[in-house]
Amino acid sequence: MAFLTFLEPLLHDAGKRVMEFPRGLPFHMKGEDANQVVTPADLVIGKQLRSRIHERFPDDSIIDEESGTVSGTSPVTWVIDPIDGTSNFAAGSPLFGVMVGVLEHGKPVAGGVALPALSETYLAEAGQGAFRNGARIQLTPDVDPAQHLLAYGMDIYPSEIELDCRILARLASRCRGIRMSNSVFDCMMVASGTYGAFLHRRNRIWDCVAPHAIIEEAGGLFTGMDGRPLDYTDPKGKISEVFSILACRSGSHELLTHTISGGFH
């Protein structure tokens, strides 16, 4: 099925709508987790995406970070993050994105990410390749992370800061530098070849599916930080599961997993 032709205008319109919201929007925490915030823009964009998807694909399921799930009868599930990097967005930073991923029988088959403040859109479909603003992107398999910038996403949980710092210290000795936006911006910098890898220990399914499709179609690898494949089977049953992710060039995957494994001990 040709998802690309649907995803492109979907993300374009969502990105345009996001940019109509003023900077410094009020936000509130979701539950007790200070790392998880939501703004009025998240809710508006989520509703817009869900409406367009349901209109075109009424039999498919939808998972929206902010609004939960809609069950369908087909094997396809759309996974939406209306604004990834909401804290950045609310603070006026341009480092945020709109994400829409597509699973079929639990496998990523398409994905799109808009970075509206940067006027960039990334799209991919299984077997069709990956594209940035319509131009094909293809990663070289570089083996040595020492030649590249790496990105690390880190939420602030006091009980876990020490572990993140150990992993960061090990990565810092193997690369040109560490960058942090804690958003899908970092992952798209891997897809474009700007960064060599992106790692994050605490993700949900809506953080993973769209960039997963893009990174793999660009020729990279998208796995857990332990190097194992991510399991999206029964996606609606995975909305509470925490995924670690490693997005990188194929040649550096083994070295990176070996490097970070020591940080867990």
Side-chain angles (χ1 to χ4, degrees), residues 34 65 81 87 90 92 115 144-145 163 212 217 221 235 258 261:
E65 177 185 5
D81 191 342
S87 293
L115 305 179
D144 189 0
L163 173 56
H212 190 151
E217 280 299 303
L221 292 176
H258 176 73
S261 65

Side-chain angles (χ1 to χ4, degrees), residues 8-238:
E8 185 171 13
L10 180 75
L11 287 163
H12 175 270
D13 293 346
K16 182 179 179 180
R17 183 69 181 94
V18 169
M19 296 304 292
E20 292 172 355
F21 284 88
R23 298 294 178 93
L25 278 178
F27 63 89
H28 65 268
M29 291 189 303
K30 294 188 288 186
E32 300 297 321
D33 188 349
N35 294 284
Q36 302 297 319
V37 300
V38 63
T39 72
D42 295 81
L43 302 179
V44 168
I45 300 306
K47 182 178 180 180
Q48 177 177 316
L49 293 170
R50 293 193 312 275
S51 177
R52 292 271 293 272
I53 292 168
H54 184 70
E55 180 181 4
R56 174 65 178 83
F57 302 98
D59 297 328
D60 295 352
S61 298
I62 302 174
I63 297 173
D64 177 353
E65 177 185 5
E66 308 304 343
S67 301
T69 65
V70 175
S71 296
T73 57
S74 84
V76 174
T77 300
W78 295 75
V79 186
I80 300 169
D81 191 342
I83 301 179
D84 183 73
T86 300
S87 293
N88 295 351
F89 171 74
S93 166
L95 305 183
F96 64 89
V98 179
M99 299 200 291
V100 178
V102 187
L103 297 170
E104 187 167 15
H105 297 292
K107 302 294 184 183
V109 294
V113 172
L115 305 179
L118 305 178
S119 299
E120 292 189 349
T121 301
Y122 294 78
L123 298 167
E125 184 168 356
Q128 303 299 313
F131 305 86
R132 179 181 62 183
N133 289 356
R136 185 180 292 272
I137 50 179
Q138 185 67 46
L139 295 172
T140 59
D142 297 15
V143 173
D144 189 0
Q147 304 303 314
H148 300 285
L149 298 172
L150 305 185
Y152 193 86
M154 180 175 165
D155 294 326
I156 304 302
Y157 295 99
S159 63
E160 300 182 9
I161 290 176
E162 184 178 347
L163 173 56
D164 280 312
C165 288
R166 287 202 304 269
I167 296 171
L168 279 166
R170 294 182 67 86
L171 288 171
S173 67
R174 291 281 192 175
C175 69
R176 284 179 49 210
I178 304 289
R179 301 293 182 263
M180 291 183 173
S181 81
N182 204 32
S183 77
V184 71
F185 167 82
D186 287 337
C187 207
M188 292 304 96
M189 292 304 97
V190 177
S192 69
T194 305
Y195 294 172
F198 172 61
L199 305 95
H200 199 304
R201 291 197 308 109
R202 298 183 64 88
N203 301 268
R204 297 298 179 89
I205 191 169
W206 42 77
D207 300 312
C208 300
V209 176
H212 190 151
I214 294 166
I215 293 289
E216 290 201 339
E217 280 299 303
L221 292 176
F222 195 100
T223 70
M225 285 174 63
D226 59 4
R228 297 177 183 174
L230 299 181
D231 180 8
Y232 303 122
T233 54
D234 183 23
K236 287 178 290 183
K238 296 287 176 64

